[in-house]
Each structure stands twice: as C-alpha cells, then as structure tokens.
Amino acid sequence: MTIFNRSKLKPLCYLSIVLVSSVGHVNAKSGDYLRSYQIGSQNWGSMSVKGASAYFGSDNGKFYALNLDRNRLAWQFETGGIVRSKAAIYNHKLFFTSDDGYLYALNRWSGTELWRVSLNDDKVVRNLPANHAPWDFDYTKSSPTVSNGTVYVGSGDNHLYAVDIYSGKIKWSFKANDMIRSTPTVYQKQVIFGSWDGSVYSLNSTTGDLSWKFETGGPIVSSPAVIDNKVIVGSRDTHVYALDVSSGKGLWQYEMPGGSWVESSATPSESGHAFYLGSSDANILLKIDATNGDVLWTFQTNGWSWGKPLVKNGKVYIGAVGHDEPGWYNTESGFYSVDAASGSLLWQYKPKRVEGFVHGGVYASPSIVNGQVLVPDLDGYIHVFDE
C-alpha cells in the first residue's frame, strides 16, 4: 500500500498550464506519484480522454486540451462561467456546458468554436455547499451525451434539450418540474435522466415524448446507469433504486446507512452484474449486486464520495471531499484505489487542503491513460499516479 501526502509534493518545473514535478515512469510502482499539472482553479469536472489528449474544464471558466505525450497545453477556450460538465466527444467535435448558460461545440484539435446554443440557465444562482440553509448543495452540472447525431443535455431551466450535433439547432426540449443536473443516459432509443423534482424520466430519444416516469422522495443529482437491464439511480431521499428499463417499474431499493444522500452515479462491475457507488454522509464506497440490491462489500472513504467511481483492470478508483465546519461532524478528503473483488485498499493519497466549507479533495472521476491515473483535484491540479 502506498500513501502520499499531497501537501508535501513540491513544484520542480513549470510550463504552460504548469507542469509540476516530473518523476520518471520507469520502474514506477502502483500508486507512485509521477507529476502534476497546475490549473490554478478548482477542478470539479471530470476529464474526457481521446488518444493522447485530455479535455476538461475548471472553475476559472476555461476549458483545456492537454497533450499528454508532450506534457503541455494544446489549447484553451474561455467561457463566461464555471465549467463543471464533462465533455462528450464525437469524431473531431467535443461538447460541454458552462454556467454562462451555453452548450458549446468545439473542434477538439484546435479549440475553435463551431457553434453554441443557449440553455437559458445563465441566471440560475447556485447554492454551493455551505454550513447554513438552504441545504440543497447545488454544485454539479449536467454533461452532454451524444447519440445518433444528437447531443442530449439537461439545464438549470428545468429542460432536457436535444440538439443537432452539426448545426447546434434544438430538435426538441422536454420540461421537468425542476432543474436537471443529472447527465442523461441513452439506451435503446430512450433518454433517461433525473431531476431535482425527484423524478426519473425516460423519453423517446427521437421525439422527446415521455415514455415513463418514476418518482422518488428527493432531488436527483446522480446520473442513471443501465446495468443488467435495470436503471440504477440514487436520490437525496437516501435510497438507491433499480427500475425496469422498459417500464420504469421499481424492482428493488436500498436505503443508504445514516440517512445519507446518494449523489454518486453507479459504475458497472467488469462482469456487468454488480455496480460500485459512492455515498454522502455514509462516507463509504459500496459494491452492490444489481440483481437484488444486496451489498457485497463496503469501503470506508471517511469523506463525501459524491463522484462517479472509475473501474478498470480489477480496480475501483474514487475520491472524497472533506469539511470541518463548527457544528458539523468532520469528514476527510482523500483519493483511493480499491481492489474491485474484495474492497481492500491498494493505495491512496491525501489531497491538499483548500479554503472553504468543502476544504479539499476529489469530486471528479479520474481517467486512465497509458497506465497512468489522472486525478482532477480541488486544489487546482491534475495529479498523475502510476496505475
């Protein structure tokens, strides 16, 4: 087991975004720290990787393309709001949203804007995590999903939009009863997503007509996943639900310990019959049987694991964010590599502390490229470890 304290890692050299401390990859061990890229602003958005390029946004309103072979910035694009969505990539195009209210389409090689379309949510005021009411913690963003020539994305104006990938023209929109921060999933001509109104919706992907609707008892921030022919989705009513993908009928539900919200989105196991899911107040990562909802194991993260786990090569990767405001119980930030079969810790690192109610950690999902784990951290860096 390898444990790192990020606060002790020192900058050695700088370039463009700024490359910090480069350690040779030769003879590196699993979990060894390799290098970091300094962005200078919190990174809540997950990365998208294509070839030797990584694409990601930041709270400074910029969207970046990083050349991993050359360890340098390829290009950057500036928006008018924080960027917390993950990019969707289709051929030479990439799509992402910003809090300035737009869905953007860029050329992924040059960063040139191809088109933008308004999602009408630039006036939505976020209530970011804080130690006071209202307790709604609006910190995430719906990310685009591309299928059959269409970009599907949710908006803070309560609509799910279907947009033509070539022209940026809106094909149709569907109105829910509250904001849509959930990223839609497309499955067999269905677009499935959750809303802050507490409902899971399934729409016809061509027409936008409602196919079915399932109501939970709290806002839905997580993104539905279709696993073992079931829709798996979490709610702030403290439950994980399994729904029949065709009808939306509830099949089983699991109540999270300690009255914990379920912010995390499910990731299927490599066998496909189980899934991994983080938690909020329960401070655990779980492996759950998709057939019946039985918990196969839990791993203590000691913090709010709001993000979506990454599963690859028999390992599960997940981060946690921490806080220690007076009047609350304390949580700890962290990043973990866990054995997918047993739930045992393989390696971890301790993120650097930052100012704020959320005092640091990892929310975004990591990416793995050429045996290296890229971790977007709230400390303003992308940290790279050996897989």
Side-chain angles (χ1 to χ4, degrees):
M1 178 178 71
T2 308
I3 303 176
F4 292 98
N5 187 329
R6 262 295 303 138
S7 63
K8 296 180 179 179
L9 298 177
K10 304 296 184 181
L12 297 182
C13 60
Y14 296 86
L15 43 95
S16 227
I17 322 185
V18 180
L19 172 65
V20 179
S21 181
S22 181
V23 179
H25 189 60
V26 179
N27 299 322
K29 299 177 182 178
S30 176
D32 277 358
Y33 169 74
L34 301 178
R35 61 188 172 277
S36 296
Y37 303 97
Q38 185 180 27
I39 310 304
S41 182
Q42 290 193 358
N43 300 307
W44 286 81
S46 298
M47 307 177 77
S48 296
V49 176
K50 185 79 170 180
S53 296
Y55 304 95
F56 57 95
S58 180
D59 274 17
N60 60 11
K62 296 179 181 179
F63 189 87
Y64 297 98
L66 175 64
N67 186 305
L68 300 172
D69 283 344
R70 299 183 179 182
N71 287 327
R72 72 180 189 186
L73 183 69
W75 53 259
Q76 66 182 38
F77 179 88
E78 189 160 355
T79 76
I82 64 175
V83 181
R84 293 191 173 184
S85 87
K86 181 179 180 179
I89 299 174
Y90 180 78
N91 292 336
H92 70 284
K93 300 180 177 68
L94 61 82
F95 310 90
F96 68 95
T97 62
S98 167
D99 273 14
D100 64 6
Y102 289 101
L103 166 67
Y104 289 92
L106 306 184
N107 182 299
R108 73 175 183 90
W109 295 315
S110 65
T112 303
E113 182 177 335
L114 302 174
W115 51 257
R116 71 174 74 177
V117 61
S118 175
L119 300 180
N120 303 308
D121 62 354
D122 57 311
K123 304 301 183 186
V124 174
V125 178
R126 288 184 180 273
N127 291 313
L128 295 174
N131 190 18
H132 56 75
W135 310 107
D136 52 14
F137 285 26
D138 181 20
Y139 60 87
T140 190
K141 187 81 169 176
S142 178
S143 297
T145 299
V146 177
S147 179
N148 294 324
T150 304
V151 183
Y152 301 95
V153 67
S155 172
D157 78 344
N158 304 356
H159 287 81
L160 192 285
Y161 290 95
V163 182
D164 183 85
I165 64 170
Y166 302 104
S167 66
K169 180 180 178 181
I170 296 175
K171 295 182 175 181
W172 55 258
S173 65
F174 175 89
K175 187 176 182 181
N177 294 317
D178 209 330
M179 296 189 300
I180 301 171
R181 297 304 197 192
S182 171
T183 295
T185 294
V186 179
Y187 180 80
Q188 295 183 350
K189 297 184 179 180
Q190 297 179 79
V191 183
I192 306 168
F193 62 94
S195 167
W196 275 53
D197 65 17
S199 297
V200 183
Y201 294 90
S202 176
L203 311 181
N204 181 293
S205 61
T206 302
T207 65
D209 293 334
L210 180 65
S211 300
W212 55 257
K213 176 181 176 181
F214 179 88
E215 296 183 1
T216 75
I220 296 174
V221 175
S222 68
S223 303
V226 179
I227 301 170
D228 199 27
N229 211 39
K230 302 174 183 68
V231 177
I232 306 296
V233 65
S235 170
R236 286 187 176 175
D237 71 358
T238 77
H239 290 85
V240 182
Y241 294 91
L243 314 177
D244 181 86
V245 71
S246 299
S247 67
K249 178 183 177 181
L251 301 176
W252 57 256
Q253 63 187 56
Y254 169 77
E255 185 174 3
M256 196 68 70
S260 175
W261 288 353
V262 188
E263 308 284 273
S264 177
S265 302
T267 301
S269 65
E270 290 175 301
S271 69
H273 300 296
F275 61 89
Y276 304 91
L277 187 77
S279 65
S280 189
D281 292 330
N283 300 331
I284 53 176
L285 167 69
L286 306 93
K287 182 177 183 180
I288 298 177
D289 190 319
T291 304
N292 52 25
D294 288 347
V295 176
L296 302 177
W297 55 249
T298 62
F299 171 83
Q300 190 73 38
T301 65
N302 300 313
W304 292 332
S305 293
W306 290 340
K308 182 178 181 179
L310 170 68
V311 179
K312 191 169 184 179
N313 298 330
K315 304 178 184 71
V316 186
Y317 302 90
I318 195 165
V321 300
H323 82 288
D324 58 2
E325 290 290 314
W328 285 61
Y329 71 95
N330 294 344
T331 60
E332 299 178 14
S333 63
F335 181 81
Y336 306 94
S337 173
V338 179
D339 184 270
S342 67
S344 60
L345 178 66
L346 299 174
W347 58 267
Q348 64 175 303
Y349 86 88
K350 177 67 174 177
K352 182 180 178 180
R353 189 181 182 90
V354 302
E355 294 297 322
F357 173 72
V358 173
H359 64 57
V362 176
Y363 163 73
S365 299
S367 295
I368 295 181
V369 184
N370 297 328
Q372 300 179 45
V373 185
L374 283 67
V375 186
D377 195 304
L378 297 187
D379 66 0
Y381 290 82
I382 306 296
H383 300 302
V384 185
F385 298 86
D386 190 88
E387 184 188 357

